[in-house]
Amino acid sequence: MSASIEIAGVSKIYDGGVRAVDAVAMDIRQGEFFSLLGPSGCGKTTTLRMIAGFETPSAGAIRVDGADITHVPAHKRDMGMVFQNYALFPHRTVAENVAFGLRMRGLDKATIAAKVKAALAMVELSGLEDRRPAQLSGGQQQRVALARAIVIAPRVLLCDEPLGALDKKLRQQMQFELKQLQKKLGLTLVFVTHDQEEALAMSDRIAVMNGGRVEQVGTPTEIYNQPTTRFVADFIGDTNIFRGERTTTGTGASALDVGKGLILALPPTDAQGTGVLSVALRPEKIRLSPRGDAAIAAGSSAHGIVENTNFLGGAVLYRIELASGHRVLVQQPNAGTSRLFVPGNGVTLDWTPADLVALKD
Amino acid sequence: MSSTAAQRPNGLALFILPSALLFALFFFLPIGLMATMSVLTGNPVVMPKVAFTTRHYARMIDDPFYLEVIWTTIRIGLVTTLVALAIGYPLAHWMARIKSRTGHALLLMAVLAPMLTGIVVRTFAWMTLLSDKGVVNQTLMSLGLIAQPLKLMYTETGIVVGLVHIYVPFMVLTLTGVIGRIDERLEQAAENLGASPLRAFIEVTLPLSLPGILAGSLLVFALAISAYVTPILLGGFQIMTLPILIYQQISANFNVGFAAAIGIVLLVISLLLVIAYNRALGLVSGQRELQ
Ligand SMILES: Nc1ncnc2c1ncn2[C@@H]1O[C@H](COP(=O)(O)OP(=O)(O)OP(=O)(O)O)[C@@H](O)[C@H]1O
Ligand SMILES: [Mg+2]
């Protein structure tokens, strides 16, 4: 039966004073696909290793289904783990690797054989029972590691960048399979990755980490559409970030003066307060049209010149220099060759003020 | 790429030449000479008329004394190896796994430091410890634990103690290299799957370090059976081993032929071990190629 995990104010300071994890708090629900996402060195692996019991937190507590397991040794935690490098036992066959956890649980031979067979069938590795790990491809090794971890029906499955070593095609296939499996078995899965696309595609919820701290926890749409901090906005996808002083326009509406004459109308939700504010605007939320002579709406549109283009296939990413001198990224769907802009084209940009997201620094 | 690869062997061959010569000169020549001497009636340099003979070997096989010496030598070698392994493995494991750099440096120093002192000096140190009036016996007697001094010197035990002290570093260094290359995460994976730390060690680390255990044991055994200074000083000629026998045959009896035959026997014992080692490694080769 899968379990919920509560991480309550956990910190980890390594010998030598590295504060790898800093007062992290999050609740991982039962049956949830939960990702830890963040740049290299932000403490993802350390957090996962503390959940698995390979590291002891310097402060805080970890609870599984409400029971404190902070000081329970790793071998009594009943958690499956897929290591970044798989950590398959090189001196044992595929079947022996998968059987290991069952053997440690003292099951009888016949039961072990049946479970191993079923687990290998589930990851589509039937027939490779007697191979050694070195005789398998990367994707096959990864599946053995997965089978070895789930055959013991763990309360929680922990995965540390399990797909990191795979090429893109196989990676996508494995992403899909892992997600299917997780849903089918109702597993609580904690998934570490530094690949934002992977996290967005697979997770029920994501915790974005930076410098040992959790910046934001939310569903993929929340993380992408409503980033709460500058770091999250910047880390997930492309984004335009404006920083300026709050002002009031002639009509009395609240706006942001980002300098050099560019004023952005603020959505009513962010209109309160004074002082400095950062806002984010996603490139695909900006509309682009050929520059016309008509006057433009102050606060939600601007003139600019296409500086360069980046053809993405289904979409085009433009870098545009505004009349105010600011540079912004704009992404447009690829609507046919005749409608694409080329560098040097004059364009008009417009957007909806409600798409501006206020950020904490 | 392919052109440089084709030229490489020629250049390399030149580099190998000096060491190949050296090898021939200092390895094959002496052993060849020794093998030749062991089947001759006398020294051809001083005796013009020498003939082929197998009597040196026959003498060893026929005389139970010499068989006993061979067996004593092997026994000392085996016990030394086992004790060195028992002491060396935990130490090597500790060294391979220790996180702190200073800790590692200190351990390495502790292991290497004895090697900086000559064997004779270290053996004399053991003599002052192990003799009837030595530190060990004096201490035990003053504590009232024993009435009579224990016989530690001039016994096989004394020799083994001295040999273990001298050859443990070889065991530790060989094992540290092998254990250090075993990914720690394998043990963690085992623990994650429900194995206690001890079980994880037995199931994962121990089998994966088998090549190191074999190599270290081979090294220590070969060194122990050919040791000369320690068996003489700590055995005081009470315990006879093959190297002591060789020395006696040359220096006291001037029987170079017999000495050479004993040398060959010693060599054959080592060679047999190397062959057995390769066999054993072949059996666990699945592990070796995968490491
Ligand atoms: N055993 C250790 N001793 C000391 N510092 C460590 C140790 N392990 C990790 N660190 C440090 O702690 C910080 C977090 O490391 P961690 O491995 O958790 O990062 P990560 O988010 O998993 O990064 P990556 O994406 O590169 O795997 C890093 O600064 C790292 O250098
Ligand atoms: Mg990591």
Side-chain angles (χ1 to χ4, degrees):
Chain A
M1 193 55 214
S2 66
S4 64
I5 308 170
E6 186 187 338
I7 297 170
V10 165
S11 297
K12 176 69 191 180
I13 300 165
Y14 281 113
D15 307 335
V18 183
R19 190 176 276 269
V21 170
D22 192 5
V24 161
M26 51 201 176
D27 288 317
I28 300 163
R29 297 170 195 147
Q30 185 202 327
E32 183 173 47
F33 195 119
F34 191 92
S35 291
L36 299 177
L37 174 65
S40 187
C42 72
K44 307 181 294 289
T45 297
T46 305
T47 306
L48 202 70
R49 289 171 58 80
M50 286 192 287
I51 300 175
F54 302 137
E55 305 284 356
T56 315
S58 313
I62 299 173
R63 287 183 273 273
V64 172
D65 279 345
D68 191 334
I69 58 150
T70 317
H71 297 287
V72 174
H75 67 279
K76 290 184 179 153
R77 290 201 180 189
D78 195 16
M79 293 181 176
M81 176 132 176
V82 179
F83 288 76
Q84 185 159 9
N85 66 344
Y86 315 138
L88 296 176
F89 305 129
H91 57 306
R92 296 185 185 275
T93 63
V94 166
E96 287 167 350
N97 263 279
V98 177
F100 192 91
L102 301 171
R103 232 166 20 88
M104 294 306 118
R105 279 160 179 73
L107 300 185
D108 64 274
K109 278 213 166 75
T111 316
I112 293 179
K115 286 193 181 225
V116 168
K117 197 161 185 282
L120 286 176
M122 185 165 57
V123 295
E124 292 172 24
L125 282 181
S126 304
L128 301 185
E129 286 83 354
D130 296 327
R131 294 243 193 123
R132 303 240 179 192
Q135 299 165 318
L136 299 176
S137 73
Q140 289 168 335
Q141 291 182 25
Q142 198 266 336
R143 281 188 258 184
V144 175
L146 196 58
R148 185 178 69 175
I150 54 185
V151 77
I152 59 172
R155 294 189 292 174
V156 176
L157 183 60
L158 309 171
C159 298
D160 192 356
E161 309 208 25
L163 311 176
L166 307 182
D167 62 66
K168 187 160 183 192
K169 194 95 185 170
L170 189 57
R171 192 182 170 102
Q172 280 172 345
Q173 185 194 337
M174 289 307 303
Q175 284 176 357
F176 181 74
E177 286 176 13
L178 183 59
K179 179 81 188 170
Q180 292 281 95
L181 203 63
Q182 182 262 336
K183 279 282 164 273
K184 194 172 90 187
L185 302 177
L187 278 173
T188 305
L189 199 158
V190 186
F191 187 85
V192 163
T193 180
H194 62 251
D195 179 342
Q196 38 137 332
E197 280 175 36
E198 188 167 270
L200 291 174
M202 300 177 76
S203 317
D204 293 319
R205 284 192 308 148
I206 302 172
V208 182
M209 294 183 67
N210 180 31
R213 292 180 156 273
V214 172
E215 293 265 337
Q216 186 176 1
V217 180
T219 63
T221 32
E222 281 168 1
I223 295 283
Y224 189 83
N225 286 338
Q226 285 114 39
T228 54
T229 69
R230 188 184 178 107
F231 176 83
V232 175
D234 219 15
F235 187 71
I236 314 285
D238 292 315
T239 198
N240 297 299
I241 293 177
F242 299 98
R243 186 176 168 80
E245 197 80 30
R246 288 173 200 262
T247 61
T248 327
T249 59
T251 60
S254 177
L256 196 65
D257 180 356
V258 296
K260 299 180 207 156
L262 185 62
I263 309 251
L264 307 176
L266 284 176
T269 43
D270 295 321
Q272 314 306 319
T274 53
V276 177
L277 180 71
S278 292
V279 293
L281 183 60
R282 293 282 178 198
E284 69 276 11
K285 304 255 163 83
I286 303 175
R287 291 173 296 274
L288 216 52
S289 52
R291 180 166 183 168
D293 296 328
I296 55 168
S300 64
S301 58
H303 289 312
I305 292 173
V306 175
E307 221 174 42
N308 59 41
T309 71
N310 190 0
F311 186 64
L312 306 175
V316 188
L317 191 65
Y318 297 101
R319 214 163 100 107
I320 292 169
E321 184 177 3
L322 299 184
S324 61
H326 292 89
R327 284 188 172 77
V328 294
L329 292 173
V330 178
Q331 186 174 317
Q332 298 285 286
N334 176 4
T337 312
S338 61
R339 303 210 201 148
L340 297 182
F341 298 101
V342 295
N345 284 168
V347 288
T348 301
L349 298 74
D350 69 295
W351 59 89
T352 314
D355 285 334
L356 288 182
V357 183
L359 304 173
K360 286 185 292 204
D361 281 300
Chain B
M1 187 72 205
S2 61
S3 71
T4 57
Q7 284 164 7
R8 267 227 177 113
N10 302 333
L12 269 186
L14 277 178
F15 282 118
I16 287 171
L17 205 62
S19 62
L21 276 175
L22 213 69
F23 198 61
L25 205 63
F26 289 101
F27 188 73
F28 284 113
L29 197 63
I31 287 179
L33 271 177
M34 191 165 81
T36 315
M37 296 287 253
S38 75
V39 290
L40 292 180
T41 47
N43 188 342
V45 181
V46 290
M47 279 206 298
K49 275 191 180 168
V50 291
F52 173 81
T53 179
T54 56
R55 68 160 193 230
H56 299 309
Y57 291 101
R59 182 175 164 197
M60 243 184 296
I61 291 165
D62 290 341
D63 191 336
F65 171 74
Y66 295 117
L67 291 179
E68 179 63 34
V69 172
I70 292 175
W71 173 230
T72 306
T73 310
I74 293 179
R75 192 169 54 222
I76 289 176
L78 282 178
V79 176
T80 302
T81 305
L82 288 179
V83 176
L85 185 63
I87 295 173
Y89 196 101
L91 206 59
H93 192 270
W94 190 17
M95 244 170 91
R97 290 282 186 253
I98 195 165
K99 293 278 183 312
S100 120
R101 275 170 172 275
T102 33
H104 186 267
L106 285 176
L107 276 175
L108 193 66
M109 285 253 292
V111 170
L112 290 183
M115 295 177 82
L116 302 175
T117 327
I119 290 180
V120 179
V121 176
R122 277 186 282 166
T123 305
F124 271 117
W126 276 113
M127 291 171 76
T128 64
L129 286 173
L130 298 181
S131 69
D132 285 359
K133 290 196 173 128
V135 176
V136 173
N137 276 322
Q138 294 283 342
T139 310
L140 289 179
M141 277 161 74
S142 70
L143 288 175
L145 291 174
I146 50 169
Q148 294 292 313
L150 295 174
K151 191 111 187 65
L152 298 172
M153 278 263 284
Y154 310 128
T155 59
E156 274 182 45
T157 315
I159 296 177
V160 167
V161 167
L163 288 177
V164 165
H165 177 222
I166 291 165
Y167 295 129
V168 141
F170 294 87
M171 183 67 90
V172 172
L173 294 180
T174 313
L175 281 170
T176 307
V178 174
I179 297 173
R181 261 177 281 132
I182 302 173
D183 191 341
E184 226 178 328
R185 282 172 293 192
L186 293 176
E187 270 174 66
Q188 291 173 347
E191 283 179 43
N192 178 253
L193 291 165
S196 65
L198 178 66
R199 190 80 194 267
F201 170 77
I202 292 170
E203 296 269 356
V204 177
T205 315
L206 193 59
L208 287 176
S209 57
L210 218 51
I213 294 177
L214 287 173
S217 300
L218 183 67
L219 190 63
V220 170
F221 183 83
L223 289 169
I225 60 169
S226 50
Y228 165 69
V229 174
T230 309
I232 282 195
L233 293 180
L234 288 172
F237 291 103
Q238 310 278 315
I239 312 288
M240 202 42 93
T241 66
L242 288 177
I244 299 176
L245 206 57
I246 295 175
Y247 175 74
Q248 285 188 338
Q249 289 304 318
I250 292 181
S251 67
N253 302 6
F254 304 107
N255 192 344
V256 181
F258 188 49
I262 304 170
I264 292 293
V265 167
L266 205 53
L267 185 71
V268 166
I269 294 173
S270 292
L271 278 180
L272 284 177
L273 258 140
V274 172
I275 293 167
Y277 164 76
N278 277 327
R279 280 282 162 80
L281 213 57
L283 289 180
V284 296
S285 69
Q287 308 164 17
R288 202 173 43 144
E289 76 201 35
L290 297 174
Q291 268 178 14

